[in-house]
Amino acid sequence: MQKTYDLIVIGAGPAGLIAAGRAAMQGAKVVVLEKMEKPARKLRITGKGRCNITNMRPFNEFIQEITPNPRFLNKAFGSFFNKQIIEILDEMGVETITERGQRVFPASGKAWDVADGLVKWAKKQGAEIYIHCPVTGIIEENKAVKGVKLDDNTEIIAPCLIIATGGKSYPATGSTGDGYRFAEQLGHTIAELRPSLTGIETHPSFPQLNGLNLRNVNASLYVDGKKVDEEFGEVEFTDYGVDGPCILRLSLKAIDAFRSGNKVHFSIDLKPALSNDKLFNRIERDATKGKSYTVNMLLRDLLPSQLVSVFLRHLKLSSLKSAAELTFDERNALINMLKGFNLNMRGHRDWNEAIITAGGISLNEIDSKTMASKLIDGLYFAGEVIDLSGNTGGYNLQIAFSTGWLAGQSAAEKLKER
Ligand SMILES: Cc1cc2nc3c(=O)[nH]c(=O)nc-3n(C[C@H](O)[C@H](O)[C@H](O)COP(=O)(O)OP(=O)(O)OC[C@H]3O[C@@H](n4cnc5c(N)ncnc54)[C@H](O)[C@@H]3O)c2cc1C
């Protein structure tokens, strides 16, 4: 590695690799410093090892999946969006397929192929990538970037720097929140960091249901008794509470409300296709099947078998009781539980399990047209380190790619002006 470059990129995740490649493509001498033993470790485990690369939803729908200010990404998405990342991967021999929900995956089903494709692409553009290179500090003089310090005190000098260190979640992948510390030391404000897209700890919890995945249910989120959002799809029971796509998508709103001291609960409609009346009629009809048709049989016809004993205990019903003998109140209680299986929030999973970090470097201090710091000359940001977060569905990686592209391009343009 040399001692001076035009541009240093900290972090060889998706944002850093795209940023480095884009800047090198325009003639900049670029080095990417990655602290782990391999580039893009997190990318390699995304989408349960399959990597949901991006989403093909139209722009207006796409940005609705991003908080807190999706319009901040207008220029970044305008410069580089879903089709462009697919083109780059295609150029590197990584074919993609679009699945349910417009989600794009590598055709091979391997996140590793995406990671290796991006590394090769960045190198092909001329970027140098070094592993085992933890940056420990940024050298700044008169509000301008001068370079970085590595853990062995080596100094690498460059007039431009992109912080692409990712968030704080899954720290074993290398994303330990260093970029927030660097930015803070340079005077930037960090919007409160919270784990997002993560499991919710509930009371009661049902460890005996661990692994039970409910499909086609509707999960509603209530804050202080008021419904604030809902999601249709899958909910998974865990030993601590609930997880799965619906819960992940509701998790940030739930976590924010919970951390503000509000009472939060989830209500799962196990039979969203049936109204209360329809359910009542169905139970009435089933009850005519004869005295030997027990409550246990009725519940087994309505629910996954693991949930039957939970219902019997909660409703204080004997499994051997004849369904025909259920009182009006008992039938109503059963229907209410089917339509609203309630779970109070008592906490959430931490950084080790959260898919992303909400919060980050304040958008007010970044120029959305360039991704440049408004405080320090030559400093740029890309990826999850910025106060932007997306839902599950490929949105977070697209944020990383697009902000990376714009940051790399802007840094290269600035270098040309010098
Ligand atoms: C389990 C899991 C599954 C996910 N699945 C998906 C998915 O399918 N689709 C999707 O869109 N999003 C998914 N995400 C989110 C997505 O992976 C992240 O949003 C994305 O990786 C962020 O990219 P980034 O480049 O900003 O940061 P990162 O990918 O976190 O990369 C940052 C890099 O910087 C390096 N670094 C940090 N500090 C230093 C330092 N001081 N010196 C040198 N290097 C440093 C890190 O080692 C790391 O390699 C998933 C996340 C997880 C945890």
Side-chain angles (χ1 to χ4, degrees):
M1 193 192 319
Q2 297 177 5
K3 294 278 179 255
T4 57
Y5 287 87
D6 292 334
L7 169 66
I8 298 167
V9 178
I10 315 179
L17 291 170
I18 291 285
R22 178 59 182 148
M25 194 189 263
Q26 294 176 95
K29 196 167 149 47
V30 185
V31 66
V32 184
L33 304 173
E34 167 56 52
K35 72 172 166 190
M36 301 302 279
E37 76 293 350
K38 204 182 259 108
R41 278 205 47 184
K42 187 175 275 178
L43 183 59
R44 293 170 197 275
I45 58 161
T46 52
K48 298 197 168 126
R50 293 184 61 223
C51 185
N52 182 183
I53 302 162
T54 184
N55 197 293
M56 297 312 286
R57 290 226 164 96
F59 183 78
N60 280 340
E61 286 177 31
F62 196 109
I63 57 170
Q64 280 168 30
E65 303 291 334
I66 294 166
T67 56
N69 177 9
R71 291 284 168 200
F72 179 86
L73 286 163
N74 277 357
K75 177 76 195 287
F77 282 168
S79 312
F80 187 88
F81 200 41
N82 44 19
K83 289 206 178 83
Q84 283 80 13
I85 187 63
I86 291 170
E87 275 165 24
I88 284 189
L89 289 169
D90 191 50
E91 182 192 326
M92 299 319 293
V94 183
E95 264 181 64
T96 53
I97 47 164
T98 304
E99 295 191 357
R100 187 172 48 85
Q102 300 292 309
R103 294 172 306 154
V104 179
F105 291 90
S108 66
K110 291 187 194 133
W112 274 68
D113 292 346
V114 177
D116 289 344
L118 291 185
V119 171
K120 268 195 227 145
W121 178 80
K123 285 186 179 166
K124 190 178 154 198
Q125 311 312 317
E128 295 174 27
I129 302 173
Y130 294 94
I131 53 169
H132 293 301
C133 278
V135 170
T136 52
I138 291 171
I139 311 164
E140 171 250 329
E141 228 176 74
N142 302 327
K143 298 274 173 214
V145 162
K146 285 277 163 276
V148 298
K149 257 194 183 158
L150 301 183
D151 62 340
D152 60 1
N153 270 333
T154 315
E155 290 186 357
I156 313 286
I157 303 302
C160 283
L161 171 71
I162 299 178
I163 296 184
T165 46
K168 261 186 84 156
S169 74
Y170 270 69
T173 62
S175 320
T176 48
D178 298 1
Y180 305 124
R181 186 166 48 81
F182 298 150
E184 212 163 23
Q185 282 165 359
L186 294 169
H188 274 276
T189 314
I190 312 298
E192 190 191 357
L193 306 174
R194 298 95 78 205
S196 179
L197 302 183
T198 193
I200 299 293
E201 296 166 347
T202 65
H203 180 79
S205 62
F206 300 95
Q208 72 275 30
L209 299 180
N210 192 10
L212 172 64
N213 195 23
L214 303 173
R215 295 217 164 91
N216 301 322
V217 296
N218 202 72
S220 297
L221 169 66
Y222 286 81
V223 175
D224 289 337
K226 195 167 161 260
K227 182 165 158 179
V228 294
D229 206 352
E230 63 184 325
E231 286 286 342
F232 177 79
E234 292 177 36
V235 170
E236 189 182 324
F237 282 94
T238 61
D239 52 356
Y240 58 78
V242 277
D243 198 341
C246 285
I247 301 298
L248 294 182
R249 292 167 75 85
L250 294 170
S251 64
L252 182 56
K253 276 188 191 157
I255 289 170
D256 281 348
F258 183 77
R259 287 163 78 105
S260 304
N262 298 296
K263 199 171 166 323
V264 177
H265 84 270
F266 289 82
S267 182
I268 319 284
D269 183 348
L270 300 164
K271 294 282 167 198
L274 298 175
S275 66
N276 286 38
D277 283 351
K278 278 205 174 129
L279 267 173
F280 200 89
N281 292 339
R282 172 163 170 188
I283 293 168
E284 286 258 288
R285 200 182 58 230
D286 285 355
T288 61
K289 284 183 179 168
K291 251 192 142 223
S292 59
Y293 186 74
T294 61
V295 169
N296 193 48
M297 292 170 175
L298 173 77
L299 290 177
R300 275 180 172 267
D301 285 346
L302 285 166
L303 291 165
S305 56
Q306 299 97 312
L307 271 174
V308 170
S309 57
V310 172
F311 267 64
L312 286 171
R313 205 169 315 124
H314 184 83
L315 297 167
K316 299 193 176 68
L317 291 173
S318 153
S319 63
L320 297 175
K321 181 173 179 158
S322 166
E325 287 166 8
L326 281 174
T327 65
F328 180 78
D329 285 350
E330 284 171 338
R331 283 175 202 194
N332 268 336
L334 167 57
I335 290 165
N336 286 340
M337 193 165 171
L338 286 167
K339 296 295 287 176
F341 189 91
N342 289 330
L343 298 159
N344 295 315
M345 180 169 177
R346 66 179 164 85
H348 55 80
R349 303 310 269 178
D350 65 10
W351 296 112
N352 291 318
E353 291 177 41
I355 291 180
I356 56 153
T357 305
I361 297 162
S362 169
L363 300 182
N364 295 333
E365 297 163 0
I366 304 174
D367 179 354
S368 65
K369 295 201 167 55
T370 58
M371 296 296 134
S373 160
K374 290 184 184 170
L375 312 182
I376 304 289
D377 193 47
L379 178 64
Y380 298 80
F381 300 103
E384 201 175 312
V385 73
I386 301 174
D387 178 19
L388 287 167
S389 62
N391 237 324
T392 58
Y395 304 101
N396 287 296
L397 283 175
Q398 188 63 55
I399 293 174
F401 299 138
S402 298
T403 54
W405 181 272
L406 183 56
Q409 174 170 299
S410 311
E413 277 163 12
K414 185 181 173 72
L415 285 160
K416 278 186 200 154
E417 277 166 22
R418 285 164 66 98

